[in-house]
Amino acid sequence: MTHPDDIARIGDALQDSLGGQVRVNADPFSGIRVMAISPAFAGLTPRARRERIEAVVPDADIVRYDLLTPEEAAFIELEDLDAVPVADQLPLWPEALANGRAAAITVHFPSEDYGTLPSPVVSTFYSLRGGVGRSTALAHAARVIAGQGLTVLCIDMDLEAPGLASLFDVEDDVTEGIGVVPLLAKAEMTGEIGALDEHVMRVTEEVGLFLLPAGCPGPEYARLLSHLDPTAWYGQDEVNPLRLLVEAVSKLAERPDVVLIDSRTGISPLAAPLLFDVSDINVIAFYPHPQARTGTQALTRALLAASSRRSTEENRLTPEVRFIVSPVPATPEVRELYAERAQDWIREWLSVARNTSGGSAFGALEEIVQVVGYQETLAASDSVMRVQGADDFNVVADWITGLVEPRDALGEHEEEKYAEPSKEQVLASLQFAGETAENQEWNELHDTFLSTSDVDRALDLDTVVVIGRKGTGKTAVFRKLAETPTAVVVTSPPGLDTHRSWTPDADVYELLEEELQTKGLEWRQVWPVLIGLAIHQNLPGAPQPTWAEAPIGHAAGGSEYLKTDLLNDVRALLSVPQAPLLVGEWLQDIDSSLTADHVLLFDALDTGFGNTERSRRRRNEGVAGLLTVVGALGPQLRRLKFKVLLREDIWREVSVPNKSHLSARSARLSWSNKTDYLRIAIKQAWRSAAFKQLVTARLNKPGFRLEDTPVEYWPEEFVRNAWVILASERVSGGRTAYTDNWVWSRLADANGDHAPRALAQMMTVAVSLERGFEAGNRYSRSIIRPRALVESLDEVSSSALDALQRDEFPELDPLLAQLRRIGSTPFPAEQLEDASPDLVRLARDVGLLEAVSGPRDKTERYRVPEVYRKALSMTRKGQL
């Protein structure tokens, strides 16, 4: 760019030499423009006039001359000589690349507000250089999208080297006279595009996948191609064959939802309007070699400055941009090296982009970049139709389909016989149980309790240990069992109606430990005593211990049995030398006296012992003793059934003889089935009469009425469809995805476990947000719009971290502080070298950290999952 001082100097020199009117301005692309009206040009040819200027300023980089005499100027309408020229908003390479040179570029992507676009969504696949798998990516993405039930039209716009027909294995069906080149050539001549149906080929009968080929290469094809002039299509009042072609796509008998365009590589004339005009989302493929860096940067910034054909005077829309880094070496360490290099480049390229609010236009780069490793099966295959398992391109497909406007779940319904409630009625009546199971009213817990195979196994009396993270439903299982008349609650969370004045707590356990040390006993010897005393509080008629000097189970100072009474009875029963044997025989006597099965319930074995380091040591020893009793005494009892509910990390830590036998009779609450996880939200929403009315009106089928079938037994299809009505189908934005997949991934901890409570909390917050959004901006595609889900994650993350830190593992505080200082995820393992190895191990065990291994299985990086990342104020690596 010419410096302003140089421009002023050149202008002064020309003014002194020519007189008249002289203006010198910087050209928007490069160099300067000279505009002059002077009598000195009289009688001179255009060339002589330019030479006159060059003689005065021989070193000036002049790219445009407007040199007239006063008489000539009187008959010509001139530009304002004082106006500074700007680059025209033409979707052509000179203009686009010039506009991309700005220091800051304001963009407005369709996905900025989680928006979608009416069909067809047009995507151009482009690469500056060849050999990077552009066409292969397009073809595989097309197969994925078509497999999702959408109609896809692929258009081969690589006119100089057409190849899509071959990739789809239909090359032999392309005959002379059909294809893009004949269509565009005819439009240039007649101004009309003609019907496309006879030019479009169906690739397979299995799905809606179609191809509009470039044409049949031959003499006529070459002749027509040589006459095409894309730069002329954007002249004033000119016919635009390309736009006519895109418009005609909507009139096809098989109207596509998605159009995928394979563009010519390099700065070819036709590539520019494909990228900068007709496309809604551009997928740029490149290999991270230094040769590609400068050119792809210029291209990327030109795309940021572009306006798509959907733009209006009031609303300029920027085409979305995504990147495929391909094909990188398959070895993990080299692939990681190239991936990091590519992300560093892309971060620099996008740094100039600002959204309409003035902030960074992009979040995490991982959402808009897909790294594809070299795969021999792809490289060696002649046709994508014969290659399976190209999973790398599922993400590419999601980028595109995420912009497709979903069906209007709440709009007109073909079955008018059903009376449907309004969205306002449904939204007003929705309630989700985001509280902990301890704080829920029993009626609410009963209405929202969801039976799954894991839950049913946990409830089964033959299951003796129930394992799970906090929030996975252990206490809900406990409360469900505790309501039965044959339940005997030995330990219980405080605040529940199952908690009694005598229920052991941290103080009781501490005093019991002192008692055991005094008598030289172990925890496995005190638990049978506690069990017998709990039975007596629930079954007063149970046999008394024969060796006791006085009856046990009675209050010493009043009508209520207290913790002091419990401790006195424990001391009395353990005071004789043979106490451990006698207590075991006493429990067998009680068992023989029973006529029905009774379940012995143990919950609150985590924080119930306290949260100090000494308390946690006591807890591990106490739980190990209890499990030893379960393993040794349980098989001897016929009517008394043990049910111990344990946090997973405690189960892993304790050392118990024959632990494998207990494992065989355990149940783990991890919610590893996504459909069951969604059922949690559906069942809680099902309490709304309005939601139930809406869903049954939409989904009931002859012979299957949802209202007559528990949510637990709905087929997966009905769960999915009810979820779409509740929370929409897709989240657009960075890495567009189905909402169920988005929720599933965001609420998973680093071990892949999911807590029902987190989902209920997300839905609670999202409903509250949606009520506010709906007041100012109505949304009819679902009850809850995707934006409400996305924005609810901050609060859910804070709640999840708070529960982890305060309620479960306060010892993690130093590590959490260190993660906040690190500030981004994933991060190199070396950044935790000074952290306590025990804390890092605990963080991995509880799902706070995921170890990412490199060569030779050495941990190279750690990743913090989304459910905790936001609360830790950590950015994702690559976030701008």
Side-chain angles (χ1 to χ4, degrees):
M1 185 70 69
T2 305
H3 194 276
D5 290 344
D6 293 331
I7 292 175
R9 176 181 57 78
I10 293 169
D12 290 343
L14 291 176
Q15 185 71 59
D16 292 342
S17 174
L18 300 174
Q21 302 178 55
V22 176
R23 292 291 182 272
V24 178
N25 289 313
D27 185 82
F29 305 126
S30 64
I32 61 174
R33 295 181 178 187
V34 173
M35 295 169 281
I37 302 173
S38 170
F41 296 137
L44 297 180
T45 65
R47 180 175 180 177
R49 296 179 187 186
R50 290 196 299 272
E51 291 174 346
R52 173 74 185 269
I53 299 296
E54 291 167 359
V56 176
V57 285
D59 297 328
D61 181 18
I62 303 173
V63 296
R64 175 171 168 175
Y65 296 86
D66 291 296
L67 309 176
L68 302 171
T69 65
E71 292 78 14
E72 292 167 341
F75 293 96
I76 298 176
E77 184 177 349
L78 294 175
E79 297 179 14
D80 182 359
L81 292 184
D82 291 319
V84 177
V86 296
D88 296 326
Q89 288 295 326
L90 292 176
L92 303 175
W93 285 111
E95 290 80 5
L97 292 173
N99 291 329
R101 292 165 58 186
I105 302 173
T106 300
V107 300
H108 184 197
F109 297 119
S111 63
E112 184 175 318
D113 301 316
Y114 308 100
T116 54
L117 298 171
S119 296
V121 169
V122 179
S123 177
T124 295
F125 283 65
Y126 175 84
S127 59
L128 198 62
R129 303 170 65 87
V132 294
R134 179 199 73 247
S135 300
T136 299
L138 179 149
H140 281 291
R143 289 189 65 191
V144 173
I145 296 169
Q148 295 172 355
L150 298 178
T151 301
V152 183
L153 173 65
C154 300
I155 303 179
D156 193 347
M157 286 284 190
D158 190 353
L159 305 185
E160 288 80 2
L164 278 189
S166 176
L167 270 179
F168 284 125
D169 208 12
V170 293
E171 190 172 26
D172 292 342
D173 299 328
V174 181
T175 59
E176 190 169 333
I178 73 166
V180 172
V181 168
L183 283 166
L184 294 178
K186 181 181 179 181
E188 273 197 339
M189 296 293 295
T190 66
E192 297 178 357
I193 197 69
L196 299 188
D197 291 276
E198 63 186 51
H199 295 262
V200 171
M201 311 164 60
R202 186 164 200 137
V203 174
T204 173
E205 294 295 331
E206 298 173 0
V207 292
L209 179 54
F210 298 86
L211 170 67
L212 175 56
C216 182
E220 179 62 11
Y221 178 91
R223 185 186 70 82
L224 294 176
L225 179 60
S226 68
H227 289 298
L228 296 181
D229 184 8
T231 58
W233 299 345
Y234 288 87
Q236 188 174 7
D237 299 326
E238 291 292 331
V239 170
N240 191 320
L242 183 59
R243 284 197 170 183
L244 291 176
L245 178 65
V246 174
E247 292 166 5
V249 165
S250 299
K251 300 173 184 176
L252 284 166
E254 293 278 359
R255 188 176 187 274
D257 300 295
V258 169
V259 175
L260 305 183
I261 298 176
D262 192 26
S263 169
R264 179 71 172 151
T265 59
I267 305 180
S268 61
L270 186 54
L274 293 177
L275 292 166
F276 307 122
D277 182 29
V278 305
S279 193
D280 297 309
I281 174 170
N282 291 301
V283 179
I284 309 303
F286 72 97
Y287 182 77
H289 188 279
Q291 290 179 338
R293 183 173 187 174
T294 302
T296 311
Q297 171 177 301
L299 164 69
T300 299
R301 294 190 171 176
L303 291 172
L304 298 176
S307 300
S308 81
R309 75 187 193 287
R310 298 185 191 263
S311 298
T312 63
E313 291 185 6
E314 298 78 22
N315 184 26
R316 170 185 168 264
L317 282 180
T318 311
E320 303 272 351
V321 59
R322 304 289 186 270
F323 300 91
I324 296 176
V325 182
S326 167
V328 300
T331 54
E333 57 270 26
V334 179
R335 176 173 177 156
E336 183 67 23
L337 173 67
Y338 277 92
E340 289 189 4
R341 175 191 289 181
Q343 284 206 1
D344 288 342
W345 290 2
I346 294 170
R347 185 184 304 108
E348 177 191 352
W349 301 343
L350 300 179
S351 62
V352 298
R354 294 290 178 266
N355 60 29
T356 51
S357 300
S360 174
F362 294 91
L365 290 185
E366 64 185 31
E367 295 188 343
I368 61 170
V369 180
Q370 177 70 345
V371 179
V372 179
Y374 175 81
Q375 300 175 52
E376 188 172 351
T377 53
L378 294 182
S381 175
D382 295 331
S383 167
V384 298
M385 306 307 290
R386 293 191 288 270
V387 178
Q388 300 298 325
D391 296 335
D392 282 334
F393 303 106
N394 291 341
V395 169
V396 180
D398 279 348
W399 287 338
I400 297 160
T401 56
L403 293 175
V404 177
E405 191 168 64
R407 60 184 176 87
D408 198 343
L410 307 181
E412 293 293 328
H413 185 43
E414 59 185 10
E415 297 288 348
E416 297 295 341
K417 61 183 178 180
Y418 293 110
E420 295 184 358
S422 66
K423 174 175 176 176
E424 290 75 13
Q425 291 172 310
V426 177
L427 200 57
S429 63
L430 279 178
Q431 285 189 321
F432 293 90
E435 293 290 336
T436 63
E438 293 95 326
N439 295 329
Q440 283 184 262
E441 295 293 333
W442 171 247
N443 287 341
E444 181 180 53
L445 180 67
H446 186 272
D447 290 343
T448 60
F449 189 85
L450 185 74
S451 292
T452 66
S453 58
D454 286 347
V455 171
D456 290 344
R457 179 171 170 79
L459 293 170
D460 193 308
L461 291 185
D462 288 333
T463 299
V464 297
V465 182
V466 178
I467 305 163
R469 283 283 319 284
K470 194 173 184 68
T472 55
K474 297 192 307 299
T475 299
V477 169
F478 170 82
R479 293 187 67 182
K480 187 77 170 176
L481 290 165
E483 73 166 335
T484 62
T486 57
V488 175
V489 176
V490 184
T491 63
S492 168
L496 292 184
D497 54 6
T498 53
H499 195 276
R500 301 286 184 264
S501 56
W502 55 268
T503 302
D505 60 11
D507 293 332
V508 171
Y509 293 129
E510 183 176 0
L511 292 171
L512 284 174
E513 183 180 53
E514 294 175 2
E515 186 72 18
L516 293 175
Q517 291 173 348
T518 300
K519 290 184 166 59
L521 299 175
E522 299 176 2
W523 278 100
R524 64 183 176 83
Q525 295 164 317
V526 78
W527 280 112
V529 179
L530 294 175
I531 293 167
L533 294 173
I535 292 173
H536 260 273
Q537 294 306 309
N538 287 271
L539 305 172
Q544 285 276 337
T546 56
W547 73 97
E549 295 182 359
I552 54 91
H554 298 288
S559 60
E560 191 174 19
Y561 191 70
L562 302 174
K563 292 180 177 66
T564 52
D565 298 313
L566 177 79
L567 287 168
N568 288 333
D569 282 341
V570 170
R571 293 188 180 102
L573 292 177
L574 290 176
S575 62
V576 300
Q578 295 181 324
L581 293 177
L582 293 171
V583 172
E585 293 172 358
W586 174 43
L587 287 184
Q588 292 182 45
D589 288 342
I590 294 174
D591 185 73
S592 298
S593 71
L594 299 174
T595 58
D597 290 341
H598 285 67
V599 60
L600 303 171
L601 291 173
F602 301 82
D603 196 12
L605 294 171
D606 42 23
T607 55
F609 276 83
N611 282 320
T612 67
E613 185 175 348
R614 182 176 178 81
S615 298
R616 291 191 289 273
R617 179 193 55 76
R618 182 184 305 123
R619 176 200 66 197
N620 287 356
E621 293 175 356
V623 171
L626 173 60
L627 294 178
T628 301
V629 171
V630 172
L633 188 59
Q636 303 176 41
L637 303 176
R638 185 172 58 92
R639 291 296 190 185
L640 291 173
K641 309 290 185 180
F642 285 93
K643 185 76 68 175
V644 181
L645 295 101
L646 273 182
R647 218 169 59 197
E648 188 163 0
D649 61 294
I650 301 175
W651 167 255
R652 283 195 298 266
E653 287 178 18
V654 296
S655 178
V656 184
N658 296 320
K659 191 175 183 179
S660 59
H661 294 293
L662 291 176
S663 295
R665 299 182 62 192
S666 67
R668 185 173 184 269
L669 299 175
S670 63
W671 298 91
S672 57
N673 182 287
K674 184 177 69 175
T675 301
D676 282 345
Y677 197 58
L678 296 181
R679 289 183 205 272
I680 297 168
I682 301 303
K683 183 159 187 177
Q684 295 197 17
W686 201 242
R687 296 179 297 161
S688 158
F691 180 75
K692 182 183 294 187
Q693 184 181 0
L694 175 64
V695 172
T696 53
R698 292 301 174 113
L699 302 184
N700 269 347
K701 292 183 178 180
F704 188 87
R705 293 173 55 83
L706 292 174
E707 63 268 41
D708 297 334
T709 309
V711 173
E712 286 88 335
Y713 302 110
W714 287 9
E716 185 174 333
E717 171 194 0
F718 288 87
V719 176
R720 164 77 179 166
N721 289 337
W723 171 264
V724 170
I725 292 173
L726 176 64
S728 195
E729 185 174 27
R730 290 181 176 273
V731 178
S732 64
R735 185 184 293 265
T736 48
Y738 291 104
T739 54
D740 56 344
N741 289 339
W742 186 90
V743 168
W744 180 250
S745 64
R746 293 313 190 271
L747 298 185
D749 70 10
N751 296 322
D753 288 344
H754 296 79
R757 187 188 308 160
L759 177 59
Q761 288 172 337
M762 172 170 279
M763 303 309 291
T764 299
V765 177
V767 166
S768 177
L769 290 171
E770 181 63 30
R771 288 169 182 159
F773 294 153
E774 188 70 8
N777 181 18
R778 296 178 63 84
Y779 183 89
S780 65
R781 294 177 192 143
S782 58
I783 300 300
I784 301 170
R785 70 191 71 194
R787 178 185 173 190
L789 289 178
V790 173
E791 295 190 9
S792 71
L793 188 57
D794 285 343
E795 189 168 333
V796 174
S797 180
S798 295
S799 177
L801 185 66
D802 189 52
L804 185 77
Q805 181 179 8
R806 185 196 65 225
D807 299 338
E808 296 184 81
F809 307 103
E811 63 267 36
L812 285 173
D813 281 357
L815 183 62
L816 295 175
Q818 191 165 354
L819 292 176
R820 288 187 174 95
R821 289 193 296 271
I822 290 171
S824 66
T825 178
F827 56 88
E830 305 86 72
Q831 293 188 261
L832 288 184
E833 282 183 346
D834 59 340
S836 163
D838 289 339
L839 283 186
V840 174
R841 189 180 307 110
L842 175 61
R844 293 178 60 178
D845 287 344
V846 303
L848 174 64
L849 286 179
E850 177 189 2
V852 182
S853 298
R856 296 175 293 280
D857 294 328
K858 179 183 178 182
T859 297
E860 287 192 345
R861 293 176 298 156
Y862 288 107
R863 183 184 70 85
V864 176
E866 286 293 289
V867 73
Y868 297 126
R869 177 188 70 82
K870 283 181 168 288
L872 289 167
S873 300
M874 300 181 78
T875 61
R876 281 180 287 184
K877 185 178 180 183
Q879 192 162 339
L880 295 173

